[in-house]
Amino acid sequence: MSQQPSVNILSTRVRELIAGYEDLRKRNSALTADVTRLTNEIQSLKSQLENEEKRYNALMTAKMLSVTDRDLDAAKQRITNLQRSVSHCITLLTEKESDNDGLSTE
């Protein structure tokens, strides 16, 4: 008879351990599912980031290549100013050459 309480205590303890094991197994399954879900989400976000980086680079390239009307007008104005400057230099060189020709004949 003295063994009966020990067996009851042991039986109760085994049931508690089994219940704890089942709880841990359920928790482990839930955590494994969370890890899988989060891994998939990370992969999806990495893919999205790559796509956005490609899109950003394409936009930056397009921005560098785009020329606005204002840019064209400014470039035309610079070319016109350069042409005037070159023409002025040619005129000065021509005049100087004419002056030097006049001096050498004297």
Side-chain angles (χ1 to χ4, degrees), residues 10-29:
L10 182 61
S11 177
T12 302
R13 198 65 191 124
V14 168
R15 274 188 256 121
E16 288 174 353
L17 285 173
I18 290 173
Y21 168 78
E22 290 298 323
D23 287 342
L24 287 174
R25 207 174 98 214
K26 287 178 186 177
R27 185 165 183 233
N28 186 31
S29 292

Side-chain angles (χ1 to χ4, degrees), residues 94-106:
T94 304
E95 288 175 0
K96 186 175 182 181
E97 190 175 288
S98 295
D99 289 345
N100 286 340
D101 286 344
L103 290 177
S104 63
T105 55
E106 294 179 2

Side-chain angles (χ1 to χ4, degrees), residues 50-75:
E50 279 181 30
N51 290 336
E52 292 300 321
E53 285 176 341
K54 287 177 186 176
R55 187 170 167 239
Y56 172 79
N57 289 334
L59 286 172
M60 290 305 292
T61 301
K63 184 177 180 182
M64 285 189 296
L65 295 176
S66 71
V67 178
T68 63
D69 289 340
R70 190 175 192 184
D71 294 334
L72 286 174
D73 290 341

Side-chain angles (χ1 to χ4, degrees), residues 35-103:
V35 166
T36 301
R37 180 183 56 81
L38 291 172
T39 301
N40 291 337
E41 186 176 343
I42 287 170
Q43 190 61 35
S44 173
L45 290 171
K46 282 181 180 179
S47 176
Q48 185 178 353
L49 177 62
E50 279 181 30
N51 290 336
E52 292 300 321
E53 285 176 341
K54 287 177 186 176
R55 187 170 167 239
Y56 172 79
N57 289 334
L59 286 172
M60 290 305 292
T61 301
K63 184 177 180 182
M64 285 189 296
L65 295 176
S66 71
V67 178
T68 63
D69 289 340
R70 190 175 192 184
D71 294 334
L72 286 174
D73 290 341
K76 286 178 185 177
Q77 185 61 41
R78 283 193 304 267
I79 290 171
T80 302
N81 289 340
L82 285 172
Q83 285 175 335
R84 285 186 190 139
S85 180
V86 168
S87 293
H88 181 71
C89 289
I90 290 172
T91 303
L92 289 174
L93 287 173
T94 304
E95 288 175 0
K96 186 175 182 181
E97 190 175 288
S98 295
D99 289 345
N100 286 340
D101 286 344
L103 290 177

